[in-house]
Amino acid sequence: MNALKFPLTVLKLLVKESTRYPERLTLEGLIISARYGLLMLLYANVFALSGGTIGGLTFPDAAWSMFFYFSLMTLGLRNIASGIMDDVLSGQVETLLTKPVHYLQYRIWWQIGSSLYQFFVITIFGALLLFFLVGAPTVLWTPYFLPTLFLAYVGGMLLTIPLYIMVGLTSFWIEDAKPVFWIIDKSIMMLGGSYIPVALFPPVLYAIAKYSPFGASQLLTHTVYGTWETEWPLLLGMQGAWIVLLFVLCMTQFHCAKSRVFVNGG
């Protein structure tokens, strides 16, 4: 099966299957709405008490920044790590490694396919609802916003994937990789601006959020800030460099993991 046919087949099958279970979409939407809605109620009051702006950031921009984080989260890319860990613990990975389809390719496309439908529905519906409730982000009508937002979405996916693959692959060496998962996952959550807009971080933490791979994986949360107009070439370029580096490290780690399986028998 060629490299293009496999992902298209997986995406087609899983997206079609997702449409057959609307209750899953409804449940996911309710969970996201509850978590995000409570945050927005809290921040709406905080911004109102602060005169409408905090550190030069308006409430609509803060709302859109955090919305983009939750939007990307609906793809469930963090579940790639859990999938790999489960395969290793169950011993199924030995069988999957001998299949003609690359194991990591299988894990990536399976996760994307199983969440793609809910990602589009929740993102589109949520964006429209947010637009009518709080208004558009300040930079919406600038010529660079939508193209760079798209690049930041794609770059965020491409950077998140190797991060969680590497977490999952640690289960080849340690029996329980969940502590590693918790550390990386919480780092991405905090530095990505899930609960506090990155623009409100102290200077040192803000720099870490911009230049570390954990914060760079959620670079799309920066797209609504005024600084994005001048910083996007640098930040997207840095994100691209992290993507290349982490994919190289990821493939190196995977090669070592396969050698460990074939030599030690799992």
Side-chain angles (χ1 to χ4, degrees):
M1 186 175 292
N2 59 52
L4 184 60
K5 185 178 179 181
F6 174 74
L8 290 177
T9 301
V10 171
L11 290 178
K12 181 180 178 180
L13 290 174
L14 292 178
V15 170
K16 185 177 181 179
E17 183 181 359
S18 297
T19 61
R20 295 176 179 174
Y21 300 98
E23 62 275 6
R24 178 188 172 191
L25 174 62
T26 302
L27 180 61
E28 184 70 22
L30 288 174
I31 293 173
I32 295 293
S33 298
R35 294 174 61 184
Y36 180 73
L38 288 173
L39 277 174
M40 291 307 98
L41 289 174
L42 173 63
Y43 275 102
N45 284 284
V46 171
F47 274 88
L49 292 173
S50 303
T53 60
I54 300 177
L57 183 69
T58 64
F59 173 65
D61 289 346
W64 280 100
S65 175
M66 288 186 283
F67 171 76
F68 289 141
Y69 171 88
F70 280 93
S71 168
L72 187 59
M73 187 183 71
T74 59
L75 273 175
L77 298 177
R78 63 205 294 268
N79 295 331
I80 294 176
S82 302
I84 295 174
M85 288 188 283
D86 290 342
D87 289 341
V88 174
L89 291 175
S90 67
Q92 187 179 5
V93 68
E94 297 180 44
T95 302
L96 293 172
L97 286 173
T98 61
K99 299 296 183 182
V101 176
H102 194 284
Y103 173 70
L104 295 184
Q105 184 184 14
Y106 154 73
R107 269 281 154 228
I108 292 169
W109 288 113
W110 188 272
Q111 180 55 49
I112 293 176
S114 62
S115 303
L116 192 61
Y117 175 69
Q118 67 184 36
F119 165 73
F120 277 116
V121 173
I122 292 175
T123 298
I124 294 172
F125 180 78
L128 290 174
L129 185 61
L130 191 60
F131 181 84
F132 286 111
L133 289 178
V134 306
T138 307
V139 297
L140 176 63
W141 310 116
T142 58
Y144 63 84
F145 175 65
L146 291 179
T148 57
L149 176 64
F150 173 76
L151 292 175
Y153 256 110
V154 175
M157 291 173 57
L158 293 177
L159 187 50
T160 302
I161 287 170
L163 277 171
Y164 282 108
I165 286 178
M166 293 174 71
V167 171
L169 291 176
T170 58
S171 58
F172 281 88
W173 287 272
I174 58 179
E175 184 175 348
D176 186 2
K178 288 181 181 179
V180 179
F181 174 82
W182 293 331
I183 292 171
I184 301 301
D185 192 53
K186 299 308 178 186
S187 297
I188 292 174
M189 183 182 297
M190 296 305 299
L191 296 175
S194 59
Y195 296 115
I196 302 175
V198 178
L200 301 181
F201 284 3
V204 174
L205 191 59
Y206 182 66
I208 296 174
K210 285 202 301 185
Y211 301 120
S212 70
F214 311 115
S217 66
Q218 305 297 322
L219 201 61
L220 73 168
T221 62
H222 295 246
T223 57
V224 296
Y225 303 148
T227 55
W228 183 250
E229 181 177 6
T230 56
E231 290 186 339
W232 71 261
L234 172 64
L235 295 181
L236 288 178
M238 177 204 61
Q239 187 182 59
W242 276 121
I243 291 169
V244 173
L245 176 60
L246 288 183
F247 263 106
V248 170
L249 293 175
C250 179
M251 295 310 298
T252 302
Q253 185 185 12
F254 179 66
H255 176 74
C256 295
K258 283 200 305 181
S259 301
R260 183 178 179 84
V261 170
F262 295 148
V263 171
N264 298 329

